[in-house]
């Protein structure tokens, strides 16, 4: 869901200050990516879908790097710096200080819990507001709750307290309802109780969960809303959990496009970023990666064994066993197998980039073909062109790149080298093996042919005793015998 109406009584706080030591990475944990976005990017997308009055992200570890990434995803977000006092409670406290006049509901999310969706959070908010509670937390029921904080309910079904695993009695440890780390607070209650939370604990941290016990002691109501799909609450603390979250998100993304009308033959080997777009009647074959802002139009077939990153694929195009980045593939065009399209490639309608062809910064016109074994770089090719096998546009002179321009309806022979800068006029033709160093006028035939010279007996004289020399001697003897027989006849 996406809420297009501003909810003036909602503020979303995203906690992204942690170091994430278990990731064992120089990159801050919340900036590790799944589905084409950083973890915190998924949380920001979900928060913005709720249309809150405020979105605040609390940062500390690698502050500048996280703040830059967050601002690049959503420039309307307020970045708040946590001070030297550690703990989730302190993070929320400094965020609230950035919106001192806000008196509505505060939704607290973690930047490392990327799978929560807007529908689940909207349901949590609705439960919170309907109950009139001061605090509502999201909980989940697990078959094995080991390691998680347990939600201990009172006789009336409200939440009495949260007990961490290390502090739980045997009876409390048997509880299977766990705290998912997502909360909604009434802002005045949150401010008042956070001011009473101390750091007298083993970690010396100011814990957000302490607010629940304090609110209960003050006579406030605390409730919990149980999430139906526990995978939505999965956090990422190490690389294994990162991969698992990525797998779940990808399965969700693939299914969404299947239900929207795309044929995805093998979901287990197909990876689609959340930022990609597929039209109805697209066919995706196994081992295909559709990444970043790639768009695929109706009727196109992509795969197998294909990676598209920030590409545009037109209607009814076919892309097989190819790797393409920042490329445009026109309607009805064909690419591959075994083609490499580098940034700046534009293949027009019904064009062809064939087997073992590499292209870069080049435009290939309507109906034009580069069928096989070629490199086309910094080139403009017109309409109806056919380049023979082994075509190379030599675009680099060791100092600068130069362009090759090939006009309409040009046909080149096999194994041509076009030494840029050079222009081939409309309708021109080139012979096999030509090295084109000068412009070719329209309609001309360009040849660069040297007379062939055969040095008789060279192998036998210069490579005596080799297999090649023996074969040559046998062939020569047989030819001499044949010639003698013809003379005799």
């Amino acid at each position: 869901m996406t809420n297009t109406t501003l909810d003036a009584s909602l503020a979303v706080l995203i906690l992204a200050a942690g170091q994430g030591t278990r990731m064992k990475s120089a990159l801050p944990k919340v900036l590790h990516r799944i589905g084409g976005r950083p973890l915190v990017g998924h949380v920001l997308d979900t928060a913005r879908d709720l249309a809150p009055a405020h979105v605040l992200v609390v940062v500390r570890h690698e502050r500048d790097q996280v703040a830059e990434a967050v601002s690049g995803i959503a420039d309307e977000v307020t970045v708040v710096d946590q001070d030297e006092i550690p703990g989730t409670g302190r993070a929320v406290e400094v965020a609230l200080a950035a919106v001192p006049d806000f008196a509505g509901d505060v939704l607290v999310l973690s930047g490392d819990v990327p799978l929560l969706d807007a529908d689940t959070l909207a349901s949590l908010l609705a439960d919170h507001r309907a109950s009139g509670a001061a605090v509502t937390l999201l909980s989940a029921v697990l078959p094995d709750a080991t390691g998680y904080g347990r939600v201990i309910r009172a006789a009336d079904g409200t939440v009495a307290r949260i007990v961490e695993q290390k502090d739980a009695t045997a009876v409390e440890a048997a509880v299977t309802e766990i705290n998912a780390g997502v909360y909604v607070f009434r802002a005045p209650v949150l401010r008042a109780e956070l001011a009473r939370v101390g750091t007298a604990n083993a970690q010396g941290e100011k814990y957000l969960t302490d607010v629940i016990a304090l609110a209960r002691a003050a006579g406030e109501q605390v409730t919990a809303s149980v999430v139906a799909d526990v995978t939505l609450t999965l956090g990422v603390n190490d690389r294994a959990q990162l991969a698992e979250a990525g797998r779940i998100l990808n399965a969700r993304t693939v299914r969404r496009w299947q239900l929207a009308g795309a044929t995805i033959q093998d979901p287990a080997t197909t990876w689609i970023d959340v930022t990609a777009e597929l039209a109805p009647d697209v066919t995706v074959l196994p081992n295909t990666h559709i990444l970043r802002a790639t768009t695929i139009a109706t009727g196109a077939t992509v795969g197998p064994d294909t990676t598209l990153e920030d590409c545009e694929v037109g209607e009814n195009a076919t892309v097989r066993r190819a790797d393409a980045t920042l490329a445009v593939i026109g309607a009805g065009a064909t690419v591959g197998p075994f083609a490499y399209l580098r940034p700046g490639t534009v293949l027009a309608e019904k064009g062809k980039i064939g087997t073992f062809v590499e292209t870069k910064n080049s435009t290939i016109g309507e109906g034009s073909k580069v069928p096989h074994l070629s490199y086309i770089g910094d080139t403009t090719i017109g309409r109806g062109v056919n380049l023979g096998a082994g075509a190379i546009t030599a675009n680099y002179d060791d100092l600068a790149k130069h362009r090759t321009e090939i006009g309409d309806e040009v046909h080149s022979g096999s194994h041509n080298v076009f030494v840029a800068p050079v222009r081939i006029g409309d309708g021109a033709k080139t012979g096999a093996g030509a090295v084109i160093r000068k412009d070719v006028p329209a309609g001309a035939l360009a040849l660069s042919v040297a007379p062939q010279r055969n040095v008789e007996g060279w192998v036998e004289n210069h490579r005596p005793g080799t297999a090649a020399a023996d074969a040559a001697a046998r062939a020569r003897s047989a030819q001499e015998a044949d010639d003698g027989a013809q003379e005799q006849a």
Side-chain angles (χ1 to χ4, degrees):
M1 67 159 271
T2 299
N3 183 8
T4 57
T5 304
L6 181 69
D7 188 343
S9 62
L10 177 64
V12 179
L13 312 185
I14 300 172
L15 308 182
Q19 186 172 357
T21 55
R22 281 188 279 170
M23 296 296 289
K24 301 188 187 309
S25 174
L27 185 70
K29 177 172 66 172
V30 296
L31 299 188
H32 284 263
R33 303 175 75 92
I34 61 171
R37 275 200 179 282
L39 297 177
V40 72
H42 293 285
V43 182
L44 279 167
D45 286 345
T46 301
R48 294 162 73 195
D49 283 346
L50 299 171
H54 305 281
V55 179
L56 303 101
V57 179
V58 184
V59 299
R60 184 180 181 191
H61 177 67
E62 296 291 347
R63 183 260 180 221
D64 292 344
Q65 194 174 356
V66 177
E68 181 181 1
V70 166
S71 299
I73 296 167
D75 56 10
E76 74 277 14
V77 168
T78 301
V79 176
V80 180
D81 290 291
Q82 185 170 354
D83 55 23
E84 295 304 311
I85 301 173
T88 52
R90 182 56 179 171
V92 171
E93 193 171 33
V94 297
L96 281 175
V99 284
D101 299 325
F102 182 75
D105 294 317
V106 178
L107 173 62
V108 179
L109 305 175
S110 296
D112 59 0
V113 180
L115 301 179
L116 273 171
D117 56 31
D119 288 337
T120 299
L121 295 178
S123 178
L124 175 66
L125 280 166
D127 289 348
H128 171 76
R129 289 167 174 173
S131 70
V135 184
T136 303
L137 58 94
L138 191 67
S139 67
V141 176
L142 299 178
D144 181 3
T146 303
Y148 292 92
R150 308 302 205 280
V151 175
I152 307 301
R153 292 185 181 260
D156 61 358
T158 60
V159 176
R161 62 190 182 281
I162 295 174
V163 179
E164 297 302 322
Q165 172 80 36
K166 63 181 181 299
D167 300 321
T169 66
V171 172
E172 291 168 340
V175 173
T176 58
E177 185 178 6
I178 60 106
N179 174 27
V182 178
Y183 312 89
V184 186
F185 300 91
R186 291 207 312 265
V189 174
L190 182 58
R191 280 195 176 90
E193 301 307 336
L194 276 173
R196 300 167 58 198
V197 174
T199 58
N201 53 61
Q203 301 299 322
E205 296 185 12
K206 193 164 186 171
Y207 290 127
L208 182 60
T209 50
D210 288 350
V211 170
I212 292 171
L214 291 170
R216 285 284 299 191
E220 300 286 356
Q221 180 177 320
V222 179
T223 63
S225 179
V226 181
V227 67
D229 181 0
V230 70
T231 63
L232 297 177
T233 66
L234 292 178
V236 173
N237 293 300
D238 56 36
R239 304 298 180 110
Q241 291 175 342
L242 180 72
E244 178 64 8
R247 183 192 64 78
I248 293 169
L249 177 62
N250 187 66
R252 184 194 298 177
T253 304
V254 167
R255 179 172 173 78
R256 172 163 60 89
W257 289 119
Q258 287 176 314
L259 296 178
T263 295
I264 299 175
Q265 193 175 88
D266 186 8
T269 63
T270 300
W271 289 81
I272 305 175
D273 281 350
V274 296
T275 45
E277 295 284 338
L278 279 65
D281 289 322
V282 163
T283 298
V284 180
L285 300 179
N287 297 313
T288 293
H289 296 184
I290 302 169
L291 307 178
R292 297 189 181 268
T294 295
T295 62
I296 304 177
T298 298
T301 299
V302 177
D305 308 317
T306 294
T307 298
L308 303 179
E309 183 172 343
D310 287 320
C311 291
E312 179 183 329
V313 180
E315 292 186 2
N316 301 312
T318 300
V319 185
R320 293 188 299 144
R321 291 188 170 89
D323 188 305
T325 301
L326 288 167
V328 176
I329 299 165
T334 61
V335 175
F338 311 113
Y340 180 27
L341 280 58
R342 292 166 59 189
T345 295
V346 178
L347 177 62
E349 184 176 353
K350 297 181 180 178
K352 178 177 182 178
I353 294 174
T355 306
F356 300 115
V357 174
E358 178 181 347
T359 60
K360 177 192 74 72
N361 195 28
S362 295
T363 298
I364 299 169
E366 181 180 351
S368 292
K369 301 176 182 179
V370 186
H372 32 223
L373 301 167
S374 298
Y375 170 72
I376 306 300
D378 298 294
T379 300
T380 300
I381 297 176
R383 298 186 304 274
V385 172
N386 188 89
L387 298 186
I392 295 174
T393 56
N395 56 335
Y396 186 46
D397 65 1
D398 197 37
L399 294 175
K401 299 288 181 71
H402 303 281
R403 291 198 69 81
T404 297
E405 296 182 22
I406 299 176
D408 297 341
E409 301 295 337
V410 169
H411 291 182
S412 76
S414 297
H415 197 59
N416 278 194
V417 179
F418 301 91
V419 182
V422 69
R423 189 181 191 287
I424 314 302
D426 292 352
K429 299 187 183 299
T430 62
V435 178
I436 307 299
R437 300 179 182 275
K438 299 185 296 185
D439 290 355
V440 179
L445 171 63
L447 302 171
S448 58
V449 180
Q452 180 174 320
R453 177 182 171 220
N454 298 332
V455 180
E456 295 285 345
W458 189 94
V459 172
E460 291 174 79
N461 291 332
H462 292 81
R463 299 291 186 269
T466 65
D470 293 344
R474 289 193 299 271
R476 181 173 48 77
S477 297
Q479 184 63 48
E480 289 173 353
D482 184 60
D483 291 344
Q486 290 185 22
E487 290 178 5
Q488 183 73 24

